[in-house]
Amino acid sequence: MMKYITILIISFQFIAFSQETELSSSEATKFRAMVEKGTKDLKSIKTDFVQNKHMEFLTNDIESKGKMYLSAEGMLRWQYTEPNKYSIIFKNEKIYIDDNGKKSTVDGDQKMFQKISKLISGSVKGDLFDDDEFDIRYFKKGDNILVKLTPKNKAMTKYISKVVLTFPKNDSTVSQVKLIEPSGDYTLITFKNKQLNVPIDKSVFSH
Amino acid sequence: MFQLTRAYLVISLSLLSLFACKSYQIDGELVSKDVEKTLVLPYFNETGFEYLYSGKIEAYGNSLNGILVVKKISETQKRVALLSDFGNTLMDFKIENGEVEVNYILEDLNKKIIVKKLKKYFELLVNSEYQVEAIYKKEGENIYTSKFQSKRVKLHENSSGTIQQVKQVSRLKEKVEIEYFSTSDIADSIHFKSNEIPFEMKYYLRE
């Protein structure tokens, strides 16, 4: 009997932990102010990431690993290291691609890349709270704060139906970005070994 | 007189077109025809296995890097999806009983003529079963002929009994060439080339 009661208590605790509750308006304002204050003086971000693509018909997610570098000037290097070496630098409205040593440049007219660049850098930096661009709702889940952004822009909704940012407790930068597609499939990016305001060598953003 | 000249012209032109457009010949010695044999290619034929490749498509001067996902869901159904390196789905097809259904396609690619070609090419790329019509021999290697998508298909078998090359041919020329490079039932790399339009795919197995 005791065994069942213990299981029941653990189950309730698990349910309570995994439940999402929406923040009140004042809690959301307070959280937003904390993020904006924390990222205002942000000079750079250097982090590892794990990218998991989930598709409804696959048993296993497709995993890629890499590193991300973001400078205060808005330069972004998104570098895959596993299983393939491939990096993309977003700099001065241009996209520089290094495909395992084969280099190419694309003028910044590739809308999807630009959107993703803005989305990633914006979400990591915390300046994605644009009420004109997104419907934004704030939730608490365990110790984390989840920010759910639904794009208002029709062009963007073709690619992404929702973005969910996960902020660990008292952290002004995200630990996870979930990009949900109109089909329900999603890409989950988890940042690890994040370093803020560390010097990043200029060569990281050179092509 | 006029009728005679016209008849002469018609006959001359017909003969000219007949000789100018030499019909496509199989380069090999016919060994047997009216064969009742099913040839099974192993490359995308294991039910439940998730085949993942990295690579690129080059079409009309544009290059599209990404991930190719193929899964044989059941004996009659396969799913083929293309993802960008960032993970977002570019296209997702369901192939069942000779029908290709679009589950999702990025709006930028959703043009009737593009969809038609992509359906045709990906169905051919992942097809595993061919009904053999005739067998030819050339330098110790077998060449099987079959039909797929109402067109003739040549399947080249090397001396170790592996089908490494599939060519779809029209009455006059080779339309599509596929090369599977493998040391097992899983292709290590795939090279697909269209001779109808500027379209080429190169994919390497993700480790």
Side-chain angles (χ1 to χ4, degrees):
Chain A
M1 186 64 187
M2 198 57 208
K3 192 173 130 193
Y4 292 112
I5 292 170
T6 312
I7 291 170
L8 209 63
I9 290 168
I10 291 169
S11 305
F12 275 126
Q13 280 178 340
F14 179 73
I15 290 165
F17 181 76
S18 59
Q19 249 176 7
E20 289 176 11
T21 48
E22 187 153 8
L23 297 190
S24 67
S25 165
S26 64
E27 283 174 319
T29 309
K30 206 173 141 191
F31 167 74
R32 205 160 149 155
M34 186 272 288
V35 172
E36 278 163 6
K37 186 171 173 248
T39 54
K40 205 174 79 180
D41 299 320
L42 197 61
K43 296 275 183 288
S44 68
I45 301 176
K46 185 179 171 183
T47 180
D48 297 337
F49 69 84
V50 178
Q51 178 184 298
N52 280 293
K53 166 73 178 186
H54 175 81
M55 298 191 86
E56 154 272 321
F57 72 91
L58 295 181
T59 312
N60 304 303
D61 288 351
I62 304 167
E63 190 181 90
S64 305
K65 288 180 180 175
K67 292 176 184 295
M68 190 206 75
Y69 303 85
L70 182 68
S71 78
E73 298 81 32
M75 292 187 287
L76 172 72
R77 181 187 179 99
W78 191 259
Q79 179 184 359
Y80 291 97
T81 52
E82 289 176 46
N84 301 103
K85 288 184 173 54
Y86 182 78
S87 72
I88 303 164
I89 299 168
F90 298 90
K91 189 171 75 172
N92 306 330
E93 298 289 306
K94 283 194 173 175
I95 299 157
Y96 301 90
I97 299 167
D98 185 340
D99 183 4
N100 203 15
K102 196 180 168 195
K103 295 183 178 185
S104 57
T105 307
V106 180
D107 284 325
D109 59 351
Q110 290 211 353
K111 287 180 196 164
M112 200 195 311
F113 279 2
Q114 282 184 335
K115 280 195 177 72
I116 290 169
S117 160
K118 197 180 165 194
L119 206 63
I120 302 295
S121 62
S123 59
V124 179
K125 272 160 56 188
D127 61 1
L128 204 64
F129 302 140
D130 185 344
D131 294 301
D132 293 333
E133 285 270 334
F134 301 101
D135 276 321
I136 309 173
R137 294 177 71 187
Y138 302 85
F139 296 84
K140 193 173 194 299
K141 186 180 178 188
D143 275 345
N144 295 328
I145 299 291
L146 305 185
V147 180
K148 297 186 179 181
L149 305 119
T150 308
K152 287 179 178 174
N153 181 338
K154 263 195 166 180
M156 200 165 183
T157 55
K158 286 179 207 164
Y159 309 111
I160 293 162
S161 63
K162 196 172 274 181
V163 181
V164 183
L165 308 176
T166 303
F167 290 79
K169 195 181 179 184
N170 299 327
D171 195 336
S172 59
T173 58
V174 301
S175 60
Q176 269 190 341
V177 180
K178 188 175 184 180
L179 301 149
I180 306 168
E181 295 171 24
S183 66
D185 292 342
Y186 62 82
T187 305
L188 181 68
I189 300 163
T190 306
F191 298 108
K192 290 176 175 175
N193 309 321
K194 196 163 54 187
Q195 293 174 276
L196 306 181
N197 299 323
V198 290
I200 300 175
D201 198 281
K202 276 186 177 172
S203 64
V204 167
F205 301 107
S206 63
H207 186 51
Chain B
M1 184 63 192
F2 175 73
Q3 273 182 338
L4 207 68
T5 314
R6 202 173 70 163
Y8 173 76
L9 265 171
V10 169
I11 292 165
S12 307
L13 285 172
S14 305
L15 283 173
L16 190 70
S17 63
L18 200 70
F19 288 111
C21 305
K22 193 184 163 206
S23 69
Y24 187 86
Q25 298 291 324
I26 306 286
D27 184 17
E29 183 196 337
L30 180 66
V31 178
S32 53
K33 58 180 185 177
D34 303 324
V35 185
E36 279 190 32
K37 177 184 165 130
T38 304
L39 204 60
V40 179
L41 271 62
Y43 306 121
F44 297 110
N45 201 35
E46 190 180 329
T47 307
F49 192 88
E50 292 168 0
Y51 299 89
L52 298 181
Y53 290 84
S54 291
K56 69 167 76 169
I57 296 178
E58 284 185 356
Y60 293 99
N62 297 305
S63 181
L64 189 65
N65 271 64
I67 300 165
L68 169 71
V69 186
V70 183
K71 184 172 181 176
K72 185 174 175 182
I73 307 288
S74 67
E75 273 310 307
T76 57
Q77 193 196 114
K78 278 180 183 166
R79 285 284 284 269
V80 183
L82 268 184
L83 317 174
S84 79
D85 280 306
F86 288 111
N88 58 312
T89 310
L90 306 172
M91 56 150 252
D92 177 4
F93 291 167
K94 183 171 95 176
I95 301 169
E96 191 160 31
N97 300 323
E99 292 288 321
V100 186
E101 191 183 307
V102 178
N103 280 335
Y104 174 79
I105 189 152
L106 196 73
E107 200 173 290
D108 302 344
L109 295 172
N110 198 5
K111 310 279 181 285
K112 207 175 167 185
I113 191 159
I114 298 176
V115 175
K116 196 177 162 191
K117 282 284 175 212
L118 289 174
K119 278 178 163 183
K120 194 181 141 197
Y121 288 167
F122 281 100
E123 188 190 19
L124 180 65
L125 182 79
V126 303
N127 187 50
S128 305
E129 277 192 21
Y130 290 92
Q131 294 301 318
V132 177
E133 291 179 344
I135 305 171
Y136 294 78
K137 241 186 174 43
K138 192 195 171 191
E139 293 161 9
E141 295 185 359
N142 288 328
I143 302 167
Y144 300 93
T145 60
S146 179
K147 266 213 169 76
F148 192 68
Q149 297 167 336
S150 310
K151 285 199 177 70
R152 195 144 61 130
V153 172
K154 283 197 310 169
L155 300 113
H156 291 249
E157 185 183 61
N158 66 13
S159 51
S160 51
T162 309
I163 301 290
Q164 282 195 310
Q165 199 179 49
V166 176
K167 289 182 177 182
Q168 193 175 47
V169 298
S170 71
R171 201 172 56 82
L172 302 171
K173 61 175 189 171
E174 291 175 355
K175 293 272 189 185
V176 171
E177 298 171 43
I178 309 171
E179 279 190 277
Y180 301 94
F181 300 93
S182 72
T183 48
S184 68
D185 285 353
I186 301 167
D188 299 317
S189 67
I190 303 163
H191 183 194
F192 180 105
K193 191 176 181 305
S194 166
N195 296 321
E196 308 171 297
I197 54 167
F199 184 96
E200 202 170 0
M201 299 194 273
K202 283 179 183 169
Y203 284 103
Y204 305 91
L205 193 67
R206 273 169 77 95
E207 285 153 19

